[in-house]
Amino acid sequence: MAEAVRHDKTARQLRLLSDALDSGRLGPVRRLVNTLAPAEIGNLLESLPPDKRMVVWGLVDPEDDGEVLVHVGDEVRESLIADMDQDELVAAASDLDIDDLADLVEDLPDAVIDELLRSMDRDNRERLEQVLSYPEDTAGRLMNPDVVTVRADTTVDVVLRFLRLRGELPDHTDHLYVVNRRHQLIGWVALQDLVTRDPGTPINRLMDDELESLHVDASAEQVARQFSDNDWVSAPVVDDGNVLLGRITVDDVVDIIREQAEHQALGAAGLDEDEDLFSPIRRAVRGRVVWLGINLLTAFLAAGVIGQFDATIEQIVALAVLMPIVAGIGGNAAVQVLTLMVRGIALGQVGASNAGILLWKELRVALINGLLIGGLVGLVALLWFRSWSLSLVIAAALVINFCSAALAGVLLPLLLKRMRVDPAVAGTVVVTAVTDVIGFFSFLGLATVILLH
Amino acid sequence: MAEAVRHDKTARQLRLLSDALDSGRLGPVRRLVNTLAPAEIGNLLESLPPDKRMVVWGLVDPEDDGEVLVHVGDEVRESLIADMDQDELVAAASDLDIDDLADLVEDLPDAVIDELLRSMDRDNRERLEQVLSYPEDTAGRLMNPDVVTVRADTTVDVVLRFLRLRGELPDHTDHLYVVNRRHQLIGWVALQDLVTRDPGTPINRLMDDELESLHVDASAEQVARQFSDNDWVSAPVVDDGNVLLGRITVDDVVDIIREQAEHQALGAAGLDEDEDLFSPIRRAVRGRVVWLGINLLTAFLAAGVIGQFDATIEQIVALAVLMPIVAGIGGNAAVQVLTLMVRGIALGQVGASNAGILLWKELRVALINGLLIGGLVGLVALLWFRSWSLSLVIAAALVINFCSAALAGVLLPLLLKRMRVDPAVAGTVVVTAVTDVIGFFSFLGLATVILLH
């Protein structure tokens, strides 16, 4: 019985492994690595600099190679594949389930794919081709066509005898699917019921025929939401005619949810999810410089606004000192509203039917926050620069900018979504561009009108 | 057989429901609501403004009340509970599993808790008290003590007869746990094996005794990682003496992963995860104004730096125009590095053993990006203000700020983590404060030295 996990396992393994690697004793490293699950090995490989990564990769049990490749990011995967010869790759890939293989196959060299298809039996080859015929990030691509089906007009006892003859079930089988002659799904039976009910019970009495199924075209996001709403361990995938095509299991859904969260967190900073800790310098520069360039454009836009008021700033330098406060706090307020909206949109909670009410609520929050923060900043400005009118100008500019932050925060993500741009990724740049421009314009504009005339 | 889900279900339901509510016909609303799973009803309630929310809540099948309460955020939960009388609450809570009940119980009025404890049998009361004795967000609090155990010295046939006598199994039972006389965990048996193996097979031949278990003190985060690394559907929770205390199931883990992602996304914008779309204005203001205040402090710090150079700005107004570019782009670069680090830390991929290598890599990326972006900005500044020396100053300031962004982005999250502050929440404020201050200081400082002397 292995020790119960209490502490941060990967970090500890990483330290032990790093020490062992540094000492050059590969025996202990091999033993350490091969106590880990493939996903943990993948995580470990991603945390190592390329040279050490290759040493450790060479020590992984070849039986785990395929599973590890499935569990690492695209970039690390490429580097690991480049390190393997054709026979190793074919062996690694042929250990995988169809759904995992479908995920991996596009990264394999053509020669390996040919060899792999030749080595598969006809059933499996057809299944793989079927899965690959669906677009990425749909239920069709995520499913495993290997399902166990039974007929409704039989009994628990007969099914149990059938299962004993069949032998091992696909991973995470918690239900058997009940289909008719045309392979249309008519219900499912829980394994739990098979082991607790009387052997003579007919299947059509045990069967749940109210289950929702996943359409083969459903998006990965929709699949994830259905799973978590229904607490499923596995769910059937059907086509337009309700014909059973395969099943999706919760372990893949957990990966989808993790990837979506990562995509959102990294996307908001303009990183793509394949950039890992030790991406090559050239790759990291290329990945990030585009985003910085986009932000640079909005920064120049803001600078252009300031440039319109250079005569005003020349006369009142205090404006230059206080300027970044108006734009900065406005940006923070906008990002808060945006973040709530992005979550609401992702959960399907925001739509045309409640956008108006939300906007009205956010405008009232913005007005109060604007008066509070604007008043505070005005007070500090008064003490600092001893000017009532400057103090009034910055307070007013902050109230205006809070309101524009609420408008931008509510409306822009809805607009981006309608334009099929992911608001989680593009939202921050767009709303902060709005608050920068409006912040500088209202502050410097009010100052020009009130302080100079 | 229900229709396969293809499109965005919640959004469509929301529209239909909103129309039905507006028309005042509550019959169709009730029918619509009660086709949904409890989690979907929860999601729907969160998307409705408070007045409509209460109307819909009154139409939910009382059987689902408990599950719905488990699936909504704290704030919506409070409002729903406030709308129920004591009998309804006791009825709702007594339908729940122990782990869900433990999650809900602290939000219930004391009178309801007393009544509930009185209505429970002794076993369940003791189980609930046991679960509540563990701190929130630990395996002990997440587990359900209701587990099915078997002995090793028996056979498949005997176990199947035992299960038929016992009847229904706890939700998501995919394994039975094998314990010794002292209730210590010695292995587990898959339900799949029970239905596929010969009835005479001894349990100790089927049993997997290499499984990892979860320690009762493990954090929710650790539990989630173990589940996704090992593709578990359920896992046993044990104490220091390896005594089996309960089990955690994947549906709760899916919720944990979703909540962690939300916590990270909302925390980075200074929102707490309980703020929902329709939080009362006062609540929303209070929740956000603290964060804005913290950001205001850093904005004043930056303004203070600019204030040191007012004499320089008075002479060269172009500095005020270009100033926000240096700070803004530096902030973007820092957030990129920070985001990669936060992910690495969350995955346990970053530690003392590789921080140095990472810092060195990020400094090189920063130097290249700094030269590229700095060169570009310098060129634009040259064309705009026709000054070689101003162009040189801003380019140099950008290179300096990119390097400080890399330093802050790598080192501050490690420091915050050591101080037990969540870098996903506090990171952005801290690193952008650094890049604001260093950006303004290096740009205006260099300008003072080079342009004025």
Side-chain angles (χ1 to χ4, degrees):
Chain A
M1 176 97 234
E3 184 204 3
V5 175
R6 188 181 210 165
H7 299 294
D8 195 332
K9 191 171 157 190
T10 321
R12 199 189 54 211
Q13 300 276 7
L14 184 61
R15 209 168 43 242
L16 285 172
L17 203 97
S18 178
D19 292 347
L21 274 174
D22 287 341
S23 74
R25 292 170 298 130
L26 295 185
V29 177
R30 184 194 300 271
R31 273 193 299 278
L32 260 169
V33 169
N34 291 311
T35 60
L36 300 176
E40 293 172 316
I41 299 176
N43 196 18
L44 192 68
L45 290 171
E46 288 183 335
S47 75
L48 293 170
D51 50 337
K52 289 188 184 175
R53 184 187 296 155
M54 286 311 157
V55 174
V56 173
W57 180 228
L59 301 174
V60 172
D61 186 340
E63 238 177 59
D64 288 338
D65 277 1
E67 288 278 343
V68 172
L69 286 175
V70 170
H71 280 98
V72 293
D74 280 0
E75 209 163 312
V76 172
R77 185 189 280 181
E78 272 171 41
S79 71
L80 299 181
I81 287 177
D83 195 52
M84 297 168 80
D85 65 32
Q86 185 166 333
D87 291 345
E88 287 174 323
L89 279 170
V90 172
S94 51
D95 287 338
L96 293 172
D97 285 341
I98 298 290
D99 52 339
D100 288 338
L101 186 55
D103 178 28
L104 183 63
V105 81
E106 297 192 331
D107 290 326
L108 296 175
D110 288 343
V112 173
I113 298 178
D114 289 346
E115 180 60 33
L116 193 65
L117 289 174
R118 255 198 304 276
S119 73
M120 289 168 89
D121 63 32
R122 196 177 140 203
D123 268 13
N124 273 328
R125 196 164 52 234
E126 279 174 3
R127 283 172 175 170
L128 178 63
E129 278 161 5
Q130 187 198 359
V131 169
L132 287 174
S133 72
Y134 297 105
E136 251 189 290
D137 292 323
T138 63
R141 189 62 162 272
L142 292 164
M143 73 185 179
N144 190 334
D146 191 10
V147 289
V148 182
T149 58
V150 292
R151 288 292 167 80
D153 55 357
T154 179
T155 60
V156 167
D157 198 32
V158 173
V159 170
L160 285 177
R161 264 183 288 145
F162 159 70
L163 292 178
R164 286 190 192 117
L165 275 174
R166 189 192 188 281
E168 219 173 315
L169 299 177
D171 279 349
H172 297 106
T173 296
D174 64 328
H175 285 86
L176 306 181
Y177 299 114
V178 185
V179 294
N180 63 17
R181 274 164 207 284
R182 285 179 295 160
H183 212 67
Q184 286 171 316
L185 183 65
I186 55 176
W188 64 2
V189 173
L191 233 48
Q192 295 197 14
D193 287 335
L194 292 180
V195 297
T196 52
R197 294 306 195 85
D198 186 79
T201 317
I203 291 302
N204 55 23
R205 267 194 39 214
L206 280 187
M207 177 177 85
D208 174 6
D209 57 3
E210 297 250 298
L211 86 157
E212 276 179 35
S213 49
L214 296 163
H215 190 278
V216 68
D217 293 337
S219 70
E221 207 182 325
Q222 179 64 38
V223 169
R225 202 189 304 161
Q226 288 290 109
F227 261 84
S228 68
D229 283 348
N230 291 293
D231 290 349
W232 284 333
V233 168
S234 69
V237 178
V238 298
D239 66 11
D240 283 326
N242 201 31
V243 171
L244 179 65
L245 300 175
R247 59 196 273 277
I248 295 180
T249 49
V250 69
D251 53 320
D252 291 331
V253 172
V254 167
D255 293 342
I256 294 170
I257 295 173
R258 278 202 184 282
E259 277 162 25
Q260 282 174 345
E262 273 200 4
H263 172 75
Q264 184 166 337
L266 297 180
L271 298 162
D272 72 74
E273 56 245 79
D274 294 326
E275 173 158 0
D276 59 84
L277 286 172
F278 293 103
S279 283
I281 306 281
R282 193 183 306 180
R283 168 77 180 67
V285 168
R286 204 172 48 223
R288 297 187 209 172
V289 83
V290 175
W291 181 255
L292 295 170
I294 295 170
N295 278 282
L296 192 56
L297 280 180
T298 73
F300 273 120
L301 190 67
V305 172
I306 303 172
Q308 300 302 307
F309 298 96
D310 52 355
T312 311
I313 296 172
E314 208 158 12
Q315 290 179 54
I316 313 164
V317 178
L319 294 176
V321 175
L322 295 173
M323 214 166 62
I325 294 177
V326 182
I329 297 297
N332 283 322
V335 169
Q336 290 189 324
V337 181
L338 173 73
T339 305
L340 275 182
M341 286 292 291
V342 165
R343 177 176 70 162
I345 290 173
L347 294 173
Q349 292 181 342
V350 176
S353 61
N354 57 8
I357 310 176
L358 271 174
L359 181 60
W360 174 228
K361 177 210 141 198
E362 285 302 332
L363 278 174
R364 283 179 298 164
V365 174
L367 193 67
I368 297 173
N369 275 337
L371 288 169
L372 286 171
I373 298 284
L376 187 63
V377 173
L379 190 69
V380 174
L382 179 65
L383 297 173
W384 193 348
F385 297 101
R386 310 267 159 199
S387 156
W388 274 101
S389 46
L390 177 61
S391 163
L392 191 74
V393 163
I394 196 165
L398 271 162
V399 172
I400 294 172
N401 211 17
F402 266 92
C403 293
S404 57
L407 270 166
V410 171
L411 298 180
L412 282 172
L414 290 171
L415 187 71
L416 287 171
K417 206 199 160 206
R418 184 157 299 184
M419 291 161 62
R420 300 184 180 282
V421 176
D422 183 357
V425 171
T428 313
V429 198
V430 182
V431 299
T432 52
V434 169
T435 50
D436 275 1
V437 166
I438 294 189
F440 290 132
F441 186 82
S442 57
F443 181 51
L444 298 175
L446 283 174
T448 307
V449 174
I450 295 176
L451 303 182
L452 292 193
H453 296 271
Chain B
M1 178 96 232
E3 184 205 4
V5 176
R6 188 180 208 163
H7 298 294
D8 195 330
K9 191 171 155 189
T10 320
R12 199 189 54 211
Q13 300 276 8
L14 183 61
R15 211 169 41 244
L16 285 173
L17 203 96
S18 178
D19 292 348
L21 274 173
D22 287 340
S23 75
R25 292 169 297 129
L26 295 185
V29 177
R30 185 195 300 271
R31 273 193 298 279
L32 258 169
V33 168
N34 290 312
T35 60
L36 300 176
E40 292 172 316
I41 299 177
N43 196 19
L44 192 68
L45 290 172
E46 288 183 336
S47 73
L48 293 170
D51 50 337
K52 288 188 184 175
R53 185 187 295 155
M54 287 310 156
V55 174
V56 174
W57 180 228
L59 301 174
V60 172
D61 186 342
E63 238 178 60
D64 288 338
D65 278 0
E67 288 278 341
V68 172
L69 286 176
V70 170
H71 279 99
V72 293
D74 280 359
E75 208 162 314
V76 172
R77 186 189 281 180
E78 272 171 41
S79 71
L80 299 181
I81 286 177
D83 194 53
M84 297 168 79
D85 65 31
Q86 186 166 331
D87 291 346
E88 286 174 323
L89 278 169
V90 172
S94 50
D95 286 339
L96 293 173
D97 285 342
I98 298 290
D99 53 339
D100 288 337
L101 187 54
D103 178 26
L104 183 64
V105 82
E106 297 191 332
D107 290 326
L108 296 175
D110 287 343
V112 173
I113 298 178
D114 289 346
E115 180 60 34
L116 193 66
L117 289 173
R118 256 198 302 277
S119 72
M120 289 168 88
D121 63 31
R122 196 177 139 202
D123 267 14
N124 273 329
R125 196 164 52 234
E126 278 176 1
R127 283 173 176 170
L128 178 63
E129 277 161 5
Q130 187 198 358
V131 168
L132 287 174
S133 72
Y134 297 104
E136 251 190 288
D137 292 323
T138 63
R141 190 61 162 273
L142 293 165
M143 74 184 179
N144 189 334
D146 191 11
V147 290
V148 183
T149 57
V150 294
R151 287 294 168 81
D153 56 357
T154 179
T155 60
V156 167
D157 199 31
V158 173
V159 170
L160 286 177
R161 264 183 289 147
F162 159 70
L163 292 179
R164 285 188 194 119
L165 276 173
R166 188 191 189 281
E168 219 173 315
L169 298 177
D171 280 348
H172 296 107
T173 296
D174 64 328
H175 285 86
L176 306 181
Y177 300 114
V178 185
V179 294
N180 63 17
R181 274 163 206 284
R182 286 179 294 161
H183 212 67
Q184 287 171 315
L185 183 66
I186 55 177
W188 64 3
V189 173
L191 234 48
Q192 295 198 12
D193 287 335
L194 292 180
V195 298
T196 52
R197 294 306 195 85
D198 186 79
T201 318
I203 293 301
N204 55 23
R205 265 190 42 211
L206 282 187
M207 177 178 84
D208 174 6
D209 57 3
E210 297 250 296
L211 87 158
E212 276 179 35
S213 48
L214 296 163
H215 190 278
V216 67
D217 293 337
S219 69
E221 205 181 326
Q222 180 65 38
V223 168
R225 200 188 304 161
Q226 288 291 109
F227 261 83
S228 68
D229 283 349
N230 291 293
D231 290 348
W232 284 332
V233 168
S234 70
V237 178
V238 298
D239 67 9
D240 282 327
N242 202 31
V243 172
L244 179 64
L245 300 175
R247 59 197 272 279
I248 295 179
T249 49
V250 70
D251 53 320
D252 291 331
V253 172
V254 167
D255 292 343
I256 295 170
I257 295 174
R258 278 201 185 282
E259 277 161 24
Q260 282 174 344
E262 273 200 2
H263 172 76
Q264 184 166 338
L266 296 181
L271 299 162
D272 71 75
E273 57 245 80
D274 294 325
E275 174 159 358
D276 59 85
L277 286 173
F278 292 103
S279 283
I281 306 282
R282 195 184 303 179
R283 167 77 179 68
V285 168
R286 204 172 47 222
R288 299 187 208 171
V289 83
V290 175
W291 181 256
L292 295 171
I294 295 171
N295 277 281
L296 192 57
L297 281 180
T298 73
F300 273 121
L301 191 68
V305 173
I306 303 172
Q308 300 302 308
F309 297 97
D310 52 354
T312 310
I313 296 172
E314 209 157 13
Q315 290 179 56
I316 312 164
V317 178
L319 294 176
V321 176
L322 295 173
M323 215 166 61
I325 294 177
V326 182
I329 296 297
N332 283 322
V335 169
Q336 290 189 324
V337 180
L338 173 73
T339 305
L340 275 182
M341 286 292 291
V342 164
R343 177 175 70 162
I345 289 173
L347 293 173
Q349 292 181 343
V350 175
S353 60
N354 57 7
I357 310 176
L358 271 172
L359 181 61
W360 174 229
K361 177 212 141 195
E362 286 300 333
L363 279 174
R364 282 180 297 165
V365 173
L367 194 67
I368 297 172
N369 274 337
L371 289 170
L372 286 172
I373 299 285
L376 187 63
V377 173
L379 190 68
V380 174
L382 180 64
L383 297 172
W384 191 349
F385 297 101
R386 311 265 159 200
S387 157
W388 273 101
S389 46
L390 176 62
S391 161
L392 191 74
V393 163
I394 196 165
L398 272 162
V399 173
I400 293 172
N401 212 16
F402 266 92
C403 293
S404 58
L407 270 165
V410 172
L411 298 180
L412 282 172
L414 289 170
L415 187 70
L416 287 171
K417 206 197 161 209
R418 183 158 299 184
M419 291 161 62
R420 299 186 180 282
V421 176
D422 183 356
V425 171
T428 312
V429 197
V430 182
V431 299
T432 53
V434 170
T435 49
D436 275 1
V437 166
I438 294 189
F440 291 132
F441 187 82
S442 57
F443 181 51
L444 299 174
L446 283 173
T448 308
V449 174
I450 294 176
L451 303 181
L452 292 193
H453 296 270

